[in-house]
Amino acid sequence: EAGVTQFPSHSVIEKGQTVTLRCDPISGHDNLYWYRRVMGKEIKFLLHFVKESKQDESGMPNNRFLAERTGGTYSTLKVQPAELEDSGVYFCASSQDLGAVYNEQFFGPGTRLTVL
Amino acid sequence: AQSVSQHNHHVILSEAASLELGCNYSYGGTVNLFWYVQYPGQHLQLLLKYFSGDPLVKGIKGFEAEFIKSKFSFNLRKPSVQWSDTAEYFCAVNGDAGNMLTFGGGTRLMVKP
């Protein structure tokens, strides 16, 4: 079974440009999460989709970040315009909805974003 | 709000040494606790988890962790590390506010052969 995949693995852009990150969750996983790790800091939650709906977007830093999950399959995270402080590793995770209190999240390899 | 603190940012050990990585969390309600590991070039993967019951939990690759509620701690241990344990280790919690994970800052472990 394929795991969570993310594209691209690395992206280097200039300040002011736009970047779109993509996450393909494990097939059948309704829950999809985005996290971010800025250099030297902890991994921080950005948002949570259940199917195509945003369940929790409390971690989104500002309105330059837009996440979508049309059709409830893959998700994109767009940063427009990118700023220097957006550099970091963006992780995606997915989980099934088994009706439990907590369902294990499986992580992708991350996208390393560098804004120059 | 929940928060997680990992005391050591970098740890260097020789093979066969014992390992203990500290993790403390701040949250007033019921928590689920996790340790994740990221080996060089690989995905984050779950080492072990605690939801309820026996506070001493065993995970993969000989790791274990002990939940001490009175100390708000969930320290990771391994009696004898191997070179292949070189990785970054993350403690994380999930409270009753939803499914999001709150991570600590991570501990980079280097095991010298």
Side-chain angles (χ1 to χ4, degrees):
Chain A
E1 179 184 304
V4 177
T5 58
Q6 294 185 244
F7 182 84
S9 56
H10 293 83
S11 180
V12 181
I13 61 172
E14 294 191 350
K15 176 182 170 181
Q17 290 186 319
T18 297
V19 63
T20 300
L21 314 180
R22 175 173 168 142
C23 169
D24 286 77
I26 294 172
S27 177
H29 282 195
D30 287 340
N31 294 293
L32 188 149
Y33 309 82
W34 284 99
Y35 293 85
R36 175 174 76 168
R37 188 182 195 194
V38 171
M39 181 76 72
K41 300 284 186 71
E42 66 273 18
I43 300 169
K44 283 196 169 180
F45 167 79
L46 295 178
L47 87 159
H48 169 207
F49 283 100
V50 177
K51 297 184 181 177
E52 66 273 11
S53 300
K54 291 176 185 173
Q55 181 78 9
D56 181 353
E57 51 183 331
S58 61
M60 294 288 263
N62 52 60
N63 59 10
R64 294 185 294 102
F65 289 76
L66 175 64
E68 294 181 320
R69 194 182 182 196
T70 308
T73 53
Y74 71 91
S75 174
T76 58
L77 179 64
K78 182 160 71 173
V79 186
Q80 178 182 31
E83 299 289 344
L84 298 179
E85 64 264 26
D86 300 332
S87 296
V89 181
Y90 290 77
F91 293 101
C92 176
S94 72
S95 70
Q96 290 180 286
D97 187 354
L98 300 174
V101 174
Y102 177 81
N103 302 295
E104 181 178 344
Q105 295 180 30
F106 295 85
F107 282 79
T111 293
R112 182 174 295 276
L113 174 64
T114 301
V115 182
L116 302 175
Chain B
Q2 41 196 47
S3 66
V4 179
S5 174
Q6 291 182 241
H7 313 302
N8 311 99
H9 298 295
H10 292 90
V11 173
I12 301 174
L13 295 173
S14 297
E15 275 196 315
S18 64
L19 170 72
E20 180 160 2
L21 301 182
C23 172
N24 286 87
Y25 68 91
S26 171
Y27 186 68
T30 302
V31 291
N32 301 312
L33 297 155
F34 309 84
W35 276 95
Y36 278 84
V37 61
Q38 188 171 27
Y39 297 103
Q42 296 189 26
H43 302 198
L44 272 166
Q45 56 184 283
L46 185 65
L47 258 184
L48 47 79
K49 62 190 177 195
Y50 172 79
F51 286 1
S52 63
D54 188 343
L56 184 62
V57 292
K58 295 193 183 297
I60 60 172
K61 306 188 180 188
F63 286 90
E64 64 178 32
E66 185 176 12
F67 171 50
I68 302 180
K69 189 174 181 180
S70 60
K71 294 184 178 181
F72 297 89
S73 70
F74 190 56
N75 291 355
L76 181 71
R77 299 195 292 250
K78 186 171 183 178
S80 175
V81 295
Q82 301 172 310
W83 175 79
S84 58
D85 293 325
T86 294
E88 191 161 17
Y89 294 80
F90 298 89
C91 181
V93 304
N94 162 250
D96 55 19
N99 281 296
M100 58 179 275
L101 290 171
T102 299
F103 285 88
T107 298
R108 287 188 183 272
L109 171 66
M110 178 183 292
V111 180
K112 298 184 292 184

